[in-house]
PDB file of all heavy atoms in Angstrom:
ATOM      1  N   GLY A  91       0.784  -1.223   0.000  1.00 78.00           N
ATOM      2  CA  GLY A  91       0.000   0.000   0.000  1.00 78.00           C
ATOM      3  C   GLY A  91       0.817   1.273   0.000  1.00 78.00           C
ATOM      4  O   GLY A  91       0.260   2.354   0.148  1.00 78.00           O
ATOM      5  N   LYS A  92       2.151   1.183  -0.172  1.00 84.00           N
ATOM      6  CA  LYS A  92       2.987   2.375  -0.164  1.00 84.00           C
ATOM      7  C   LYS A  92       3.004   3.008  -1.540  1.00 84.00           C
ATOM      8  O   LYS A  92       3.222   2.333  -2.548  1.00 84.00           O
ATOM      9  CB  LYS A  92       4.409   2.024   0.271  1.00 84.00           C
ATOM     10  CG  LYS A  92       5.268   3.238   0.566  1.00 84.00           C
ATOM     11  CD  LYS A  92       6.589   2.841   1.192  1.00 84.00           C
ATOM     12  CE  LYS A  92       7.393   4.065   1.594  1.00 84.00           C
ATOM     13  NZ  LYS A  92       8.668   3.697   2.231  1.00 84.00           N
ATOM     14  N   TYR A  93       2.780   4.318  -1.582  1.00 88.00           N
ATOM     15  CA  TYR A  93       2.699   5.038  -2.849  1.00 88.00           C
ATOM     16  C   TYR A  93       4.080   5.431  -3.335  1.00 88.00           C
ATOM     17  O   TYR A  93       4.906   5.959  -2.581  1.00 88.00           O
ATOM     18  CB  TYR A  93       1.839   6.293  -2.688  1.00 88.00           C
ATOM     19  CG  TYR A  93       1.709   7.108  -3.955  1.00 88.00           C
ATOM     20  CD1 TYR A  93       0.954   6.658  -5.026  1.00 88.00           C
ATOM     21  CD2 TYR A  93       2.357   8.334  -4.069  1.00 88.00           C
ATOM     22  CE1 TYR A  93       0.839   7.405  -6.189  1.00 88.00           C
ATOM     23  CE2 TYR A  93       2.253   9.090  -5.223  1.00 88.00           C
ATOM     24  CZ  TYR A  93       1.490   8.621  -6.283  1.00 88.00           C
ATOM     25  OH  TYR A  93       1.388   9.363  -7.430  1.00 88.00           O
ATOM     26  N   MET A  94       4.340   5.153  -4.603  1.00 92.00           N
ATOM     27  CA  MET A  94       5.595   5.543  -5.249  1.00 92.00           C
ATOM     28  C   MET A  94       5.271   6.540  -6.365  1.00 92.00           C
ATOM     29  O   MET A  94       4.604   6.168  -7.343  1.00 92.00           O
ATOM     30  CB  MET A  94       6.303   4.330  -5.837  1.00 92.00           C
ATOM     31  CG  MET A  94       6.905   3.389  -4.819  1.00 92.00           C
ATOM     32  SD  MET A  94       8.322   4.142  -3.980  1.00 92.00           S
ATOM     33  CE  MET A  94       7.758   4.100  -2.294  1.00 92.00           C
ATOM     34  N   PRO A  95       5.709   7.803  -6.248  1.00 92.00           N
ATOM     35  CA  PRO A  95       5.372   8.794  -7.272  1.00 92.00           C
ATOM     36  C   PRO A  95       6.093   8.576  -8.595  1.00 92.00           C
ATOM     37  O   PRO A  95       5.682   9.128  -9.608  1.00 92.00           O
ATOM     38  CB  PRO A  95       5.786  10.115  -6.630  1.00 92.00           C
ATOM     39  CG  PRO A  95       6.815   9.749  -5.620  1.00 92.00           C
ATOM     40  CD  PRO A  95       6.442   8.396  -5.115  1.00 92.00           C
ATOM     41  N   SER A  96       7.159   7.771  -8.608  1.00 93.00           N
ATOM     42  CA  SER A  96       7.903   7.527  -9.849  1.00 93.00           C
ATOM     43  C   SER A  96       8.838   6.348  -9.646  1.00 93.00           C
ATOM     44  O   SER A  96       9.024   5.860  -8.518  1.00 93.00           O
ATOM     45  CB  SER A  96       8.715   8.769 -10.256  1.00 93.00           C
ATOM     46  OG  SER A  96       9.707   9.034  -9.289  1.00 93.00           O
ATOM     47  N   LEU A  97       9.445   5.911 -10.751  1.00 92.00           N
ATOM     48  CA  LEU A  97      10.430   4.836 -10.682  1.00 92.00           C
ATOM     49  C   LEU A  97      11.690   5.304  -9.962  1.00 92.00           C
ATOM     50  O   LEU A  97      12.303   4.542  -9.194  1.00 92.00           O
ATOM     51  CB  LEU A  97      10.777   4.365 -12.099  1.00 92.00           C
ATOM     52  CG  LEU A  97      11.777   3.212 -12.225  1.00 92.00           C
ATOM     53  CD1 LEU A  97      11.296   1.994 -11.469  1.00 92.00           C
ATOM     54  CD2 LEU A  97      12.008   2.874 -13.689  1.00 92.00           C
ATOM     55  N   VAL A  98      12.063   6.558 -10.174  1.00 94.00           N
ATOM     56  CA  VAL A  98      13.223   7.111  -9.472  1.00 94.00           C
ATOM     57  C   VAL A  98      12.980   7.117  -7.965  1.00 94.00           C
ATOM     58  O   VAL A  98      13.885   6.838  -7.172  1.00 94.00           O
ATOM     59  CB  VAL A  98      13.526   8.541  -9.983  1.00 94.00           C
ATOM     60  CG1 VAL A  98      14.648   9.182  -9.184  1.00 94.00           C
ATOM     61  CG2 VAL A  98      13.885   8.506 -11.458  1.00 94.00           C
ATOM     62  N   ALA A  99      11.745   7.423  -7.559  1.00 94.00           N
ATOM     63  CA  ALA A  99      11.407   7.436  -6.141  1.00 94.00           C
ATOM     64  C   ALA A  99      11.540   6.046  -5.526  1.00 94.00           C
ATOM     65  O   ALA A  99      11.985   5.901  -4.379  1.00 94.00           O
ATOM     66  CB  ALA A  99       9.989   7.964  -5.937  1.00 94.00           C
ATOM     67  N   GLU A 100      11.193   5.014  -6.289  1.00 94.00           N
ATOM     68  CA  GLU A 100      11.317   3.652  -5.750  1.00 94.00           C
ATOM     69  C   GLU A 100      12.780   3.240  -5.642  1.00 94.00           C
ATOM     70  O   GLU A 100      13.154   2.513  -4.721  1.00 94.00           O
ATOM     71  CB  GLU A 100      10.555   2.652  -6.618  1.00 94.00           C
ATOM     72  CG  GLU A 100      10.565   1.264  -6.031  1.00 94.00           C
ATOM     73  CD  GLU A 100       9.419   0.395  -6.500  1.00 94.00           C
ATOM     74  OE1 GLU A 100       8.653   0.827  -7.372  1.00 94.00           O
ATOM     75  OE2 GLU A 100       9.284  -0.730  -5.977  1.00 94.00           O
ATOM     76  N   ILE A 101      13.624   3.698  -6.567  1.00 95.00           N
ATOM     77  CA  ILE A 101      15.059   3.449  -6.430  1.00 95.00           C
ATOM     78  C   ILE A 101      15.583   4.146  -5.172  1.00 95.00           C
ATOM     79  O   ILE A 101      16.393   3.587  -4.421  1.00 95.00           O
ATOM     80  CB  ILE A 101      15.808   3.941  -7.683  1.00 95.00           C
ATOM     81  CG1 ILE A 101      15.385   3.129  -8.904  1.00 95.00           C
ATOM     82  CG2 ILE A 101      17.318   3.833  -7.493  1.00 95.00           C
ATOM     83  CD1 ILE A 101      15.968   3.631 -10.215  1.00 95.00           C
ATOM     84  N   GLY A 102      15.099   5.368  -4.921  1.00 95.00           N
ATOM     85  CA  GLY A 102      15.465   6.060  -3.690  1.00 95.00           C
ATOM     86  C   GLY A 102      14.980   5.333  -2.452  1.00 95.00           C
ATOM     87  O   GLY A 102      15.662   5.315  -1.421  1.00 95.00           O
ATOM     88  N   ASP A 103      13.809   4.688  -2.541  1.00 94.00           N
ATOM     89  CA  ASP A 103      13.285   3.917  -1.421  1.00 94.00           C
ATOM     90  C   ASP A 103      14.172   2.705  -1.140  1.00 94.00           C
ATOM     91  O   ASP A 103      14.394   2.343   0.012  1.00 94.00           O
ATOM     92  CB  ASP A 103      11.851   3.466  -1.735  1.00 94.00           C
ATOM     93  CG  ASP A 103      11.151   2.873  -0.525  1.00 94.00           C
ATOM     94  OD1 ASP A 103      10.923   3.609   0.454  1.00 94.00           O
ATOM     95  OD2 ASP A 103      10.831   1.663  -0.553  1.00 94.00           O
ATOM     96  N   ALA A 104      14.700   2.076  -2.196  1.00 95.00           N
ATOM     97  CA  ALA A 104      15.619   0.951  -2.024  1.00 95.00           C
ATOM     98  C   ALA A 104      16.922   1.411  -1.382  1.00 95.00           C
ATOM     99  O   ALA A 104      17.483   0.725  -0.513  1.00 95.00           O
ATOM    100  CB  ALA A 104      15.890   0.286  -3.370  1.00 95.00           C
ATOM    101  N   ILE A 105      17.414   2.582  -1.783  1.00 96.00           N
ATOM    102  CA  ILE A 105      18.633   3.135  -1.181  1.00 96.00           C
ATOM    103  C   ILE A 105      18.406   3.434   0.298  1.00 96.00           C
ATOM    104  O   ILE A 105      19.273   3.185   1.143  1.00 96.00           O
ATOM    105  CB  ILE A 105      19.084   4.396  -1.936  1.00 96.00           C
ATOM    106  CG1 ILE A 105      19.492   4.041  -3.371  1.00 96.00           C
ATOM    107  CG2 ILE A 105      20.235   5.080  -1.221  1.00 96.00           C
ATOM    108  CD1 ILE A 105      19.857   5.240  -4.218  1.00 96.00           C
ATOM    109  N   GLU A 106      17.218   3.954   0.628  1.00 94.00           N
ATOM    110  CA  GLU A 106      16.909   4.222   2.035  1.00 94.00           C
ATOM    111  C   GLU A 106      16.899   2.938   2.840  1.00 94.00           C
ATOM    112  O   GLU A 106      17.433   2.884   3.958  1.00 94.00           O
ATOM    113  CB  GLU A 106      15.561   4.927   2.151  1.00 94.00           C
ATOM    114  CG  GLU A 106      15.178   5.232   3.593  1.00 94.00           C
ATOM    115  CD  GLU A 106      13.782   5.815   3.735  1.00 94.00           C
ATOM    116  OE1 GLU A 106      13.015   5.748   2.756  1.00 94.00           O
ATOM    117  OE2 GLU A 106      13.465   6.328   4.815  1.00 94.00           O
ATOM    118  N   SER A 107      16.290   1.876   2.307  1.00 93.00           N
ATOM    119  CA  SER A 107      16.259   0.594   3.008  1.00 93.00           C
ATOM    120  C   SER A 107      17.677   0.085   3.269  1.00 93.00           C
ATOM    121  O   SER A 107      17.974  -0.451   4.337  1.00 93.00           O
ATOM    122  CB  SER A 107      15.468  -0.436   2.196  1.00 93.00           C
ATOM    123  OG  SER A 107      14.133  -0.006   2.003  1.00 93.00           O
ATOM    124  N   HIS A 108      18.549   0.264   2.278  1.00 96.00           N
ATOM    125  CA  HIS A 108      19.932  -0.188   2.440  1.00 96.00           C
ATOM    126  C   HIS A 108      20.668   0.644   3.490  1.00 96.00           C
ATOM    127  O   HIS A 108      21.412   0.092   4.323  1.00 96.00           O
ATOM    128  CB  HIS A 108      20.661  -0.110   1.100  1.00 96.00           C
ATOM    129  CG  HIS A 108      22.044  -0.680   1.136  1.00 96.00           C
ATOM    130  ND1 HIS A 108      22.294  -2.027   1.092  1.00 96.00           N
ATOM    131  CD2 HIS A 108      23.256  -0.073   1.232  1.00 96.00           C
ATOM    132  CE1 HIS A 108      23.596  -2.237   1.153  1.00 96.00           C
ATOM    133  NE2 HIS A 108      24.202  -1.067   1.254  1.00 96.00           N
ATOM    134  N   MET A 109      20.454   1.948   3.469  1.00 95.00           N
ATOM    135  CA  MET A 109      21.117   2.807   4.447  1.00 95.00           C
ATOM    136  C   MET A 109      20.631   2.516   5.859  1.00 95.00           C
ATOM    137  O   MET A 109      21.404   2.621   6.823  1.00 95.00           O
ATOM    138  CB  MET A 109      20.873   4.279   4.101  1.00 95.00           C
ATOM    139  CG  MET A 109      21.633   4.759   2.870  1.00 95.00           C
ATOM    140  SD  MET A 109      21.390   6.532   2.556  1.00 95.00           S
ATOM    141  CE  MET A 109      22.515   6.793   1.182  1.00 95.00           C
ATOM    142  N   ARG A 110      19.390   2.164   6.006  1.00 93.00           N
ATOM    143  CA  ARG A 110      18.884   1.778   7.320  1.00 93.00           C
ATOM    144  C   ARG A 110      19.513   0.460   7.771  1.00 93.00           C
ATOM    145  O   ARG A 110      19.813   0.276   8.957  1.00 93.00           O
ATOM    146  CB  ARG A 110      17.360   1.656   7.298  1.00 93.00           C
ATOM    147  CG  ARG A 110      16.631   2.980   7.181  1.00 93.00           C
ATOM    148  CD  ARG A 110      15.132   2.817   7.317  1.00 93.00           C
ATOM    149  NE  ARG A 110      14.445   4.085   7.164  1.00 93.00           N
ATOM    150  CZ  ARG A 110      14.279   4.988   8.138  1.00 93.00           C
ATOM    151  NH1 ARG A 110      14.764   4.736   9.337  1.00 93.00           N
ATOM    152  NH2 ARG A 110      13.639   6.119   7.909  1.00 93.00           N
ATOM    153  N   MET A 111      19.717  -0.453   6.833  1.00 93.00           N
ATOM    154  CA  MET A 111      20.286  -1.758   7.174  1.00 93.00           C
ATOM    155  C   MET A 111      21.726  -1.624   7.686  1.00 93.00           C
ATOM    156  O   MET A 111      22.124  -2.297   8.639  1.00 93.00           O
ATOM    157  CB  MET A 111      20.249  -2.677   5.961  1.00 93.00           C
ATOM    158  CG  MET A 111      20.771  -4.083   6.242  1.00 93.00           C
ATOM    159  SD  MET A 111      21.038  -5.049   4.752  1.00 93.00           S
ATOM    160  CE  MET A 111      22.449  -4.205   4.039  1.00 93.00           C
ATOM    161  N   ILE A 112      22.521  -0.730   7.074  1.00 93.00           N
ATOM    162  CA  ILE A 112      23.922  -0.587   7.478  1.00 93.00           C
ATOM    163  C   ILE A 112      24.093   0.439   8.599  1.00 93.00           C
ATOM    164  O   ILE A 112      25.213   0.674   9.050  1.00 93.00           O
ATOM    165  CB  ILE A 112      24.805  -0.191   6.275  1.00 93.00           C
ATOM    166  CG1 ILE A 112      24.432   1.187   5.740  1.00 93.00           C
ATOM    167  CG2 ILE A 112      24.716  -1.242   5.184  1.00 93.00           C
ATOM    168  CD1 ILE A 112      25.319   1.667   4.604  1.00 93.00           C
ATOM    169  N   GLY A 113      22.998   1.045   9.053  1.00 89.00           N
ATOM    170  CA  GLY A 113      23.065   1.967  10.178  1.00 89.00           C
ATOM    171  C   GLY A 113      23.369   3.397   9.815  1.00 89.00           C
ATOM    172  O   GLY A 113      23.585   4.230  10.711  1.00 89.00           O
ATOM    173  N   LEU A 114      23.387   3.733   8.518  1.00 90.00           N
ATOM    174  CA  LEU A 114      23.655   5.104   8.105  1.00 90.00           C
ATOM    175  C   LEU A 114      22.458   6.010   8.391  1.00 90.00           C
ATOM    176  O   LEU A 114      22.607   7.192   8.685  1.00 90.00           O
ATOM    177  CB  LEU A 114      24.008   5.151   6.617  1.00 90.00           C
ATOM    178  CG  LEU A 114      24.589   6.447   6.072  1.00 90.00           C
ATOM    179  CD1 LEU A 114      25.858   6.826   6.845  1.00 90.00           C
ATOM    180  CD2 LEU A 114      24.904   6.325   4.593  1.00 90.00           C
ATOM    181  N   ILE A 115      21.246   5.439   8.298  1.00 88.00           N
ATOM    182  CA  ILE A 115      20.022   6.135   8.684  1.00 88.00           C
ATOM    183  C   ILE A 115      19.431   5.403   9.872  1.00 88.00           C
ATOM    184  O   ILE A 115      19.211   4.195   9.811  1.00 88.00           O
ATOM    185  CB  ILE A 115      19.005   6.188   7.526  1.00 88.00           C
ATOM    186  CG1 ILE A 115      19.554   7.012   6.362  1.00 88.00           C
ATOM    187  CG2 ILE A 115      17.681   6.792   7.993  1.00 88.00           C
ATOM    188  CD1 ILE A 115      18.601   7.093   5.178  1.00 88.00           C
ATOM    189  N   LYS A 116      19.228   6.112  10.937  1.00 82.00           N
ATOM    190  CA  LYS A 116      18.669   5.505  12.143  1.00 82.00           C
ATOM    191  C   LYS A 116      17.174   5.300  11.964  1.00 82.00           C
ATOM    192  O   LYS A 116      16.476   6.143  11.397  1.00 82.00           O
ATOM    193  CB  LYS A 116      18.927   6.391  13.366  1.00 82.00           C
ATOM    194  CG  LYS A 116      20.402   6.669  13.606  1.00 82.00           C
ATOM    195  CD  LYS A 116      21.179   5.387  13.825  1.00 82.00           C
ATOM    196  CE  LYS A 116      22.659   5.682  14.087  1.00 82.00           C
ATOM    197  NZ  LYS A 116      23.451   4.442  14.252  1.00 82.00           N
ATOM    198  N   ASP A 117      16.689   4.160  12.442  1.00 67.00           N
ATOM    199  CA  ASP A 117      15.275   3.829  12.319  1.00 67.00           C
ATOM    200  C   ASP A 117      14.481   4.633  13.340  1.00 67.00           C
ATOM    201  O   ASP A 117      14.631   4.455  14.551  1.00 67.00           O
ATOM    202  CB  ASP A 117      15.073   2.323  12.550  1.00 67.00           C
ATOM    203  CG  ASP A 117      13.660   1.871  12.205  1.00 67.00           C
ATOM    204  OD1 ASP A 117      12.889   2.710  11.692  1.00 67.00           O
ATOM    205  OD2 ASP A 117      13.326   0.703  12.440  1.00 67.00           O
ATOM    206  N   ASP A 118      13.658   5.549  12.842  1.00 63.00           N
ATOM    207  CA  ASP A 118      12.842   6.395  13.715  1.00 63.00           C
ATOM    208  C   ASP A 118      11.384   5.947  13.707  1.00 63.00           C
ATOM    209  O   ASP A 118      10.468   6.756  13.647  1.00 63.00           O
ATOM    210  CB  ASP A 118      12.935   7.866  13.303  1.00 63.00           C
ATOM    211  CG  ASP A 118      12.600   8.061  11.825  1.00 63.00           C
ATOM    212  OD1 ASP A 118      12.433   7.038  11.128  1.00 63.00           O
ATOM    213  OD2 ASP A 118      12.491   9.222  11.385  1.00 63.00           O
ATOM    214  N   GLY A 119      11.195   4.634  13.741  1.00 61.00           N
ATOM    215  CA  GLY A 119       9.853   4.076  13.697  1.00 61.00           C
ATOM    216  C   GLY A 119       9.099   4.276  14.998  1.00 61.00           C
ATOM    217  O   GLY A 119       9.522   5.005  15.906  1.00 61.00           O
ATOM    218  N   LEU A 120       7.977   3.603  15.115  1.00 63.00           N
ATOM    219  CA  LEU A 120       7.142   3.747  16.300  1.00 63.00           C
ATOM    220  C   LEU A 120       7.780   3.055  17.495  1.00 63.00           C
ATOM    221  O   LEU A 120       8.403   1.999  17.363  1.00 63.00           O
ATOM    222  CB  LEU A 120       5.764   3.125  16.029  1.00 63.00           C
ATOM    223  CG  LEU A 120       4.963   3.694  14.849  1.00 63.00           C
ATOM    224  CD1 LEU A 120       3.663   2.928  14.695  1.00 63.00           C
ATOM    225  CD2 LEU A 120       4.687   5.171  15.039  1.00 63.00           C
ATOM    226  N   ASP A 121       7.628   3.680  18.659  1.00 66.00           N
ATOM    227  CA  ASP A 121       8.083   3.004  19.867  1.00 66.00           C
ATOM    228  C   ASP A 121       7.018   2.007  20.310  1.00 66.00           C
ATOM    229  O   ASP A 121       5.964   1.853  19.676  1.00 66.00           O
ATOM    230  CB  ASP A 121       8.383   4.015  20.973  1.00 66.00           C
ATOM    231  CG  ASP A 121       7.183   4.922  21.278  1.00 66.00           C
ATOM    232  OD1 ASP A 121       6.028   4.474  21.100  1.00 66.00           O
ATOM    233  OD2 ASP A 121       7.400   6.079  21.687  1.00 66.00           O
ATOM    234  N   GLU A 122       7.271   1.313  21.407  1.00 73.00           N
ATOM    235  CA  GLU A 122       6.371   0.245  21.848  1.00 73.00           C
ATOM    236  C   GLU A 122       4.985   0.780  22.189  1.00 73.00           C
ATOM    237  O   GLU A 122       3.963   0.166  21.848  1.00 73.00           O
ATOM    238  CB  GLU A 122       6.979  -0.463  23.069  1.00 73.00           C
ATOM    239  CG  GLU A 122       6.170  -1.647  23.556  1.00 73.00           C
ATOM    240  CD  GLU A 122       6.818  -2.349  24.737  1.00 73.00           C
ATOM    241  OE1 GLU A 122       7.956  -1.964  25.100  1.00 73.00           O
ATOM    242  OE2 GLU A 122       6.191  -3.264  25.291  1.00 73.00           O
ATOM    243  N   HIS A 123       4.915   1.934  22.841  1.00 73.00           N
ATOM    244  CA  HIS A 123       3.619   2.503  23.220  1.00 73.00           C
ATOM    245  C   HIS A 123       2.825   2.908  21.976  1.00 73.00           C
ATOM    246  O   HIS A 123       1.622   2.603  21.876  1.00 73.00           O
ATOM    247  CB  HIS A 123       3.842   3.722  24.122  1.00 73.00           C
ATOM    248  CG  HIS A 123       2.582   4.475  24.433  1.00 73.00           C
ATOM    249  ND1 HIS A 123       1.605   3.986  25.292  1.00 73.00           N
ATOM    250  CD2 HIS A 123       2.118   5.680  23.984  1.00 73.00           C
ATOM    251  CE1 HIS A 123       0.616   4.850  25.361  1.00 73.00           C
ATOM    252  NE2 HIS A 123       0.906   5.891  24.587  1.00 73.00           N
ATOM    253  N   GLN A 124       3.481   3.554  21.015  1.00 68.00           N
ATOM    254  CA  GLN A 124       2.793   3.979  19.801  1.00 68.00           C
ATOM    255  C   GLN A 124       2.330   2.781  18.976  1.00 68.00           C
ATOM    256  O   GLN A 124       1.234   2.780  18.420  1.00 68.00           O
ATOM    257  CB  GLN A 124       3.713   4.870  18.970  1.00 68.00           C
ATOM    258  CG  GLN A 124       4.005   6.221  19.591  1.00 68.00           C
ATOM    259  CD  GLN A 124       5.030   7.005  18.800  1.00 68.00           C
ATOM    260  OE1 GLN A 124       5.959   6.437  18.235  1.00 68.00           O
ATOM    261  NE2 GLN A 124       4.879   8.324  18.764  1.00 68.00           N
ATOM    262  N   ARG A 125       3.179   1.746  18.911  1.00 73.00           N
ATOM    263  CA  ARG A 125       2.811   0.557  18.150  1.00 73.00           C
ATOM    264  C   ARG A 125       1.601  -0.148  18.769  1.00 73.00           C
ATOM    265  O   ARG A 125       0.706  -0.597  18.066  1.00 73.00           O
ATOM    266  CB  ARG A 125       4.016  -0.387  18.072  1.00 73.00           C
ATOM    267  CG  ARG A 125       3.792  -1.589  17.183  1.00 73.00           C
ATOM    268  CD  ARG A 125       5.094  -2.276  16.825  1.00 73.00           C
ATOM    269  NE  ARG A 125       5.927  -2.526  17.983  1.00 73.00           N
ATOM    270  CZ  ARG A 125       7.049  -1.870  18.258  1.00 73.00           C
ATOM    271  NH1 ARG A 125       7.442  -0.887  17.465  1.00 73.00           N
ATOM    272  NH2 ARG A 125       7.765  -2.166  19.327  1.00 73.00           N
ATOM    273  N   ARG A 126       1.566  -0.205  20.086  1.00 77.00           N
ATOM    274  CA  ARG A 126       0.436  -0.836  20.759  1.00 77.00           C
ATOM    275  C   ARG A 126      -0.837  -0.029  20.549  1.00 77.00           C
ATOM    276  O   ARG A 126      -1.925  -0.596  20.347  1.00 77.00           O
ATOM    277  CB  ARG A 126       0.738  -0.979  22.253  1.00 77.00           C
ATOM    278  CG  ARG A 126      -0.338  -1.733  23.026  1.00 77.00           C
ATOM    279  CD  ARG A 126       0.130  -2.112  24.417  1.00 77.00           C
ATOM    280  NE  ARG A 126       0.509  -0.941  25.205  1.00 77.00           N
ATOM    281  CZ  ARG A 126       1.756  -0.652  25.534  1.00 77.00           C
ATOM    282  NH1 ARG A 126       2.742  -1.433  25.143  1.00 77.00           N
ATOM    283  NH2 ARG A 126       2.018   0.422  26.256  1.00 77.00           N
ATOM    284  N   LEU A 127      -0.710   1.305  20.558  1.00 72.00           N
ATOM    285  CA  LEU A 127      -1.870   2.158  20.345  1.00 72.00           C
ATOM    286  C   LEU A 127      -2.414   1.994  18.933  1.00 72.00           C
ATOM    287  O   LEU A 127      -3.636   1.913  18.730  1.00 72.00           O
ATOM    288  CB  LEU A 127      -1.494   3.621  20.599  1.00 72.00           C
ATOM    289  CG  LEU A 127      -2.608   4.654  20.406  1.00 72.00           C
ATOM    290  CD1 LEU A 127      -3.741   4.391  21.386  1.00 72.00           C
ATOM    291  CD2 LEU A 127      -2.060   6.076  20.573  1.00 72.00           C
ATOM    292  N   VAL A 128      -1.526   1.930  17.932  1.00 72.00           N
ATOM    293  CA  VAL A 128      -1.956   1.750  16.547  1.00 72.00           C
ATOM    294  C   VAL A 128      -2.652   0.404  16.367  1.00 72.00           C
ATOM    295  O   VAL A 128      -3.684   0.308  15.682  1.00 72.00           O
ATOM    296  CB  VAL A 128      -0.747   1.885  15.596  1.00 72.00           C
ATOM    297  CG1 VAL A 128      -1.127   1.451  14.187  1.00 72.00           C
ATOM    298  CG2 VAL A 128      -0.249   3.314  15.576  1.00 72.00           C
ATOM    299  N   GLU A 129      -2.113  -0.647  16.989  1.00 76.00           N
ATOM    300  CA  GLU A 129      -2.734  -1.969  16.887  1.00 76.00           C
ATOM    301  C   GLU A 129      -4.120  -1.976  17.513  1.00 76.00           C
ATOM    302  O   GLU A 129      -5.059  -2.588  16.986  1.00 76.00           O
ATOM    303  CB  GLU A 129      -1.839  -3.010  17.550  1.00 76.00           C
ATOM    304  CG  GLU A 129      -0.535  -3.266  16.797  1.00 76.00           C
ATOM    305  CD  GLU A 129       0.381  -4.228  17.535  1.00 76.00           C
ATOM    306  OE1 GLU A 129       0.017  -4.607  18.689  1.00 76.00           O
ATOM    307  OE2 GLU A 129       1.431  -4.604  16.985  1.00 76.00           O
TER     308      GLU A 129
END
């Protein structure tokens, strides 16, 4: 369900996933309280 405005944007999304994997971009996702609230 994630929207991609272009093919270039999806390549950028792949680069972001890789940078998160190697620790170059810190994961700023939901904490435990926020995740429980969303569920």
Side-chain angles (χ1 to χ4, degrees):
K92 191 171 185 179
Y93 180 71
M94 289 291 120
S96 65
L97 181 57
V98 175
E100 185 157 5
I101 295 174
D103 190 65
I105 295 176
E106 180 185 13
S107 300
H108 186 79
M109 288 183 175
R110 289 186 182 277
M111 182 192 70
I112 65 177
L114 192 57
I115 296 179
K116 302 300 181 182
D117 190 6
D118 54 353
L120 302 178
D121 56 30
E122 184 178 354
H123 173 72
Q124 291 174 325
R125 186 164 49 252
R126 185 168 59 251
L127 180 62
V128 170
E129 291 176 355

